[in-house]
Amino acid sequence: GGGGGGGRPRGGGGGRRPPPPPPGGGGGEVALKDMPAGTDSLAPLGEYPYNLCFRCEDVVRDEHDDVAYDAVLCLSTTKWVHLYNGDDGIRRLFAVFRRVLRNGGLLILEYQGKQSYRLRRNINDTVRENYRNMKLKPETFERVLAEDYGFVMVERHGPDPSRGEAIKGFDRPLVVLRKA
């Protein structure tokens, strides 16, 4: 998944392997460094920064009952969900965004372009098959999120594939969408 602090790595991104699974093979929560001892990281804790919660999980497979987040941050992740789970997997991810956000909640999404997919298409047989059968292209994600999942564009940074602007390397679209 993506989204550490301090910005993006420079250059070509290093190795040619997919990102490792989360420690322990599943999800987990990342507690704030200064969180008071004995507090539940999912409980509302009052004022900033204690009202923040970060979770690392397989959002396509994990359950999401009884949640209503104000915002979901998804950085450098859609390509991997799409390549490993196909069009059905990326649509499941979009449905999770819709389900877990409160009305008016924000989706902050960075997605990779087709060239990035192409570079990773031969990692294994599953990815190769999903890549070959892919009908939903990353350049259509914003339109699909609006038309099929009820999101409205709030803000955009970086290239706009709908206007023919190429996504190159780490110069990727970063969009803020509101759940309508």
Side-chain angles (χ1 to χ4, degrees), residues 19-73:
E29 295 166 19
V30 179
L32 292 171
K33 187 170 131 182
D34 297 325
M35 185 171 284
T39 57
D40 177 356
S41 64
L42 291 180
L45 297 175
E47 294 185 26
Y48 176 81
Y50 302 112
N51 61 347
L52 295 177
C53 171
F54 294 91
R55 296 183 65 167
C56 176
E57 62 187 14
D58 183 340
V59 297
V60 175
R61 294 191 177 114
D62 292 351
E63 296 297 320
H64 304 279
D65 297 328
D66 302 321
V67 294
Y69 294 116
D70 294 318
V72 170
L73 177 67

Side-chain angles (χ1 to χ4, degrees), residues 61-171:
R61 294 191 177 114
D62 292 351
E63 296 297 320
H64 304 279
D65 297 328
D66 302 321
V67 294
Y69 294 116
D70 294 318
V72 170
L73 177 67
C74 183
L75 304 175
S76 303
T77 305
T78 55
K79 172 178 75 177
W80 298 111
V81 170
H82 206 178
L83 287 174
Y84 276 94
N85 299 281
D87 286 351
D88 288 343
I90 200 71
R91 287 193 174 276
R92 279 194 309 271
L93 178 66
F94 293 167
V96 168
F97 293 156
R98 174 86 187 153
R99 188 170 58 251
V100 301
L101 280 167
R102 68 168 174 76
N103 288 338
L106 299 177
L107 169 60
I108 304 156
L109 178 68
E110 175 200 49
Y111 59 91
Q112 298 93 325
K114 60 186 171 188
Q115 177 62 23
S116 179
Y117 280 59
R118 197 174 301 122
L119 292 171
R120 303 295 188 227
R121 72 182 180 261
N122 291 315
I123 289 175
N124 62 40
D125 291 340
T126 299
V127 167
R128 193 173 6 270
E129 186 68 18
N130 284 335
Y131 182 82
R132 195 173 18 246
N133 294 321
M134 205 172 285
K135 302 278 186 272
L136 185 61
K137 305 297 183 210
E139 289 73 14
T140 66
F141 286 176
E142 293 173 44
R143 181 184 52 77
V144 169
L145 283 161
E147 292 175 5
D148 298 350
Y149 298 91
F151 284 92
V152 176
M153 176 67 71
V154 174
E155 195 171 331
R156 138 178 300 294
H157 300 274
D160 185 348
S162 71
R163 295 191 344 217
E165 297 172 5
I167 301 170
K168 297 178 183 172
F170 286 102
D171 184 23

